[in-house]
Amino acid sequence: MSAVEGGISGSPGSTEILFTPLEHSTLPLKNRIVMAPMTRWFSPDGIPGPDVAAYYRRRAEGGAGLIITEGTFIDHPATLNYASSIPRLFGDQALAGWRHVVGEVHAAGARIMAQLWHTGLVYAFGQEQLGPTGQVIDPPHASPSGFVEPGHKVTGPMTDNDIADVIASYARAAAAARQVGFDGVEIHAAHGYLIDQFFWEALNKRTDRYGVDVTGRTRLMVDILTAMRAEVGADFPICIRYSQWKQQDYTARLADTPQELERFLEPIADAGPDFFHCSQRRFWESEFSGSDRNLAGWTRKITGLPVITVGSVGLREDFMHSFSEGGATQPAGLEGLVARLERGDFDLVAVGRALLGDANWPNRVRSGDTDRLRGFDTSVLETLN
């Protein structure tokens, strides 16, 4: 096996560990396979319909033990939540839609978490936004330190009141998720979105308690976790998805050494999350020189908490390459993934495009039907699949 296909060697053909239960006090799972969150734009006006419920149920029936939904917008005015086909986690109709989704997934024997999303600056540039009645609007934007838009319009940094509003929105979203019946929530704090903008020194130039150093840059995440716990209690699972890379800069780093990563993770772990979801473009790549541990492996070593690895699982080409080239044409072996899981580098494995392209991917792996595993063709995004 080449390094591109999975890294360290394992027992060829043995995938048994992927189907062992995860014993966890608040989120026991039947196996180690997670459906990764993938934005789809199939919820008109932010309301998930029966087709969305059927989409997630198929993945549950296909063998995923845990499903993490596509990003759902919280009820903050600076999220991209108006006239959008991205789902919301607020409003009676949207919550009723999610209740149906949850029921279908549970009926198929899997658990499901809602991913909570605030995009921050990502959609702020060059986007003509439409309000509910079709008029062009200039929505508020959220940014740790302000920015200059095209045309030289200056948007200032978030005030303390702005930050408090975002924190409260996340807490309400967590409460709504619990009310609907979700088995937990994941906070999207990766890939250059709002929380990650606070993490990232390149965008966070604040000189108050939400900036200055790594502790300050993690404070928004800590305050969100604290507020969410106050709403949902200690027994409702909360997962944090984070990354080094950003959509704006694939080479970006929050930490260049294990010691820097420890300083970043320590205040977040102390705030009480249940899981970390560690996003890499290629799960098999070492995070730091001198060790073959990936980001999930280092996160588990540092925090001791259960972790999810993700990044081109089952495929040769990474996420961005597959979309620029129209797909990931060849599946990859799982030996390296299994070997890392057996070694204890991570606890769960999130599968994205491979599971998007084949809802039965877990069942095929378990039955040994690997000859029928296929790559990922972006044309599947044009269907409800």
Side-chain angles (χ1 to χ4, degrees):
M1 171 178 290
S2 70
V4 173
E5 293 179 44
I8 60 176
S9 61
S11 305
S14 174
T15 60
E16 180 180 354
I17 193 170
L18 287 168
F19 301 96
T20 58
L22 178 75
E23 302 296 335
H24 188 272
S25 59
T26 59
L27 192 68
L29 299 172
K30 67 180 182 181
N31 63 36
R32 305 306 179 98
I33 296 178
V34 178
M35 179 180 179
M38 291 172 283
T39 301
R40 299 177 62 245
W41 297 82
F42 279 120
S43 297
D45 297 321
I47 300 167
D51 56 305
V52 175
Y55 164 81
Y56 284 117
R57 176 162 185 153
R58 281 193 292 276
R59 272 70 194 175
E61 291 172 337
L66 172 65
I67 287 170
I68 302 177
T69 73
E70 61 209 283
T72 65
F73 284 128
I74 62 175
D75 67 345
H76 186 262
T79 55
L80 187 73
N81 57 35
Y82 30 78
S84 170
S85 295
I86 293 177
R88 310 173 183 181
L89 197 57
F90 60 92
D92 291 344
Q93 288 182 287
L95 295 182
W98 283 121
R99 190 171 288 109
H100 181 52
V101 172
V102 169
E104 291 294 293
V105 169
H106 285 169
R111 295 183 180 266
I112 182 168
M113 303 177 83
Q115 189 187 73
L116 310 183
W117 198 22
H118 193 309
T119 57
L121 285 177
V122 171
Y123 288 107
F125 297 100
Q127 300 286 328
E128 183 179 88
Q129 312 294 1
L130 301 180
T133 60
Q135 77 277 21
V136 177
I137 60 175
D138 183 18
H141 298 313
S143 163
S145 300
F147 63 97
V148 178
E149 292 185 71
H152 307 290
K153 175 183 175 183
V154 178
T155 299
M158 294 173 70
T159 66
D160 285 349
N161 286 339
D162 294 333
I163 292 172
D165 287 344
V166 165
I167 293 168
S169 293
Y170 272 101
R172 287 193 297 271
R178 181 158 201 169
Q179 176 188 4
V180 162
F182 279 106
D183 298 295
V185 293
E186 176 174 277
I187 303 169
H188 197 338
H191 306 162
Y193 295 118
L194 181 64
I195 297 173
D196 195 22
Q197 289 159 24
F198 274 80
F199 290 161
W200 193 13
E201 189 175 10
L203 287 181
N204 186 347
K205 303 297 185 182
R206 301 178 71 95
T207 57
D208 62 2
R209 64 196 186 100
Y210 288 102
V212 180
D213 56 18
V214 66
T215 300
R217 291 192 293 273
T218 60
R219 191 177 303 277
L220 176 63
M221 181 77 270
V222 169
D223 287 356
I224 287 171
L225 274 167
T226 301
M228 289 171 65
R229 282 289 178 220
E231 285 288 334
V232 300
D235 62 342
F236 190 65
I238 299 174
C239 177
I240 297 172
R241 190 180 215 216
Y242 85 100
S243 66
Q244 297 254 48
W245 67 276
K246 323 298 174 193
Q247 292 186 69
Q248 304 89 338
D249 182 355
Y250 299 155
T251 65
R253 311 276 291 177
L254 297 174
D256 288 312
T257 66
Q259 294 74 25
E260 290 181 2
L261 186 64
E262 182 173 9
R263 287 194 291 272
F264 167 75
L265 289 172
E266 183 177 22
I268 302 173
D270 287 346
D274 296 275
F275 297 85
F276 281 98
H277 187 175
C278 309
S279 179
Q280 290 184 264
R281 295 176 67 197
R282 309 170 184 90
F283 81 86
W284 56 83
E285 293 185 341
S286 303
E287 195 60 31
F288 304 114
S289 62
S291 168
D292 64 359
R293 284 192 184 92
N294 68 1
L295 184 62
W298 277 109
T299 300
R300 199 184 196 296
K301 177 178 173 61
I302 289 168
T303 69
L305 290 170
V307 297
I308 307 169
T309 196
V310 70
S312 305
V313 171
L315 299 173
R316 297 174 191 268
E317 294 93 352
D318 69 27
F319 177 82
M320 295 303 178
H321 179 274
S322 75
F323 278 87
S324 65
E325 299 298 325
T329 57
Q330 295 293 326
L334 299 176
E335 292 91 342
L337 177 75
V338 166
R340 291 171 185 270
L341 185 58
E342 289 176 338
R343 192 173 69 178
D345 286 13
F346 37 78
D347 304 89
L348 296 163
V349 174
V351 183
R353 289 164 294 147
L355 192 51
L356 183 63
D358 184 355
N360 291 310
W361 189 91
N363 287 341
R364 293 194 199 283
V365 171
R366 186 168 199 177
S367 68
D369 187 19
T370 54
D371 289 342
R372 295 183 63 190
L373 294 180
R374 59 178 184 260
F376 168 71
D377 186 336
T378 55
S379 66
V380 302
L381 300 179
E382 299 172 3
T383 72
L384 296 180
N385 198 33

